Amino acid sequence: MSGIENTFVNIYQKDEFDFVTPLYYEILDSDENLILEKHHLIGTNDHITDLENFKAKSYDSIVYLTWGKESEIYAVYDLKSGKGYPKSKLNENWKTEIENANDLVNRLKEMNPILNANWNK
């Protein structure tokens, strides 16, 4: 990951293929301790054979994951507050989770204005 050192994002895809196959992600520290447990990222009808199109980056305490376009954020997580999307460490309702995720993306946009949230398409 570029930015925060000793933090890693793992991406998984189930071997079972159907119309849409889920991708999952998790965030770990350098000792392989879970920071954020494995959670559904997105569904795809592609069989992902390499992670070349995924980029994990960070700014301040915010970790974010892009796929394909490096300007399109699929997952965001703040290591300090526990806020994130599509997974948070907080017990939030869906509306609050989206609002918090959008706030994190807006903080990222201060650093890089071309970034946008995939979930707001």
Side-chain angles (χ1 to χ4, degrees), residues 3 5 8 18 25 36 50-51 61 66-67 87 89 105 111 113-115 119:
E5 293 185 24
F8 303 92
D18 201 345
Y25 76 108
L36 188 68
D50 66 62
L51 300 177
S61 62
T66 64
W67 181 27
K87 177 73 176 156
K89 278 213 171 172
V105 171
M111 179 261 319
I114 68 165
L115 292 173
W119 56 88

Side-chain angles (χ1 to χ4, degrees), residues 1-20:
M1 171 183 325
S2 63
I4 298 172
E5 293 185 24
N6 301 322
T7 303
F8 303 92
V9 177
N10 287 338
I11 298 171
Y12 305 91
Q13 184 173 28
K14 287 195 171 187
D15 291 336
E16 307 157 2
F17 282 90
D18 201 345
F19 177 67
V20 175

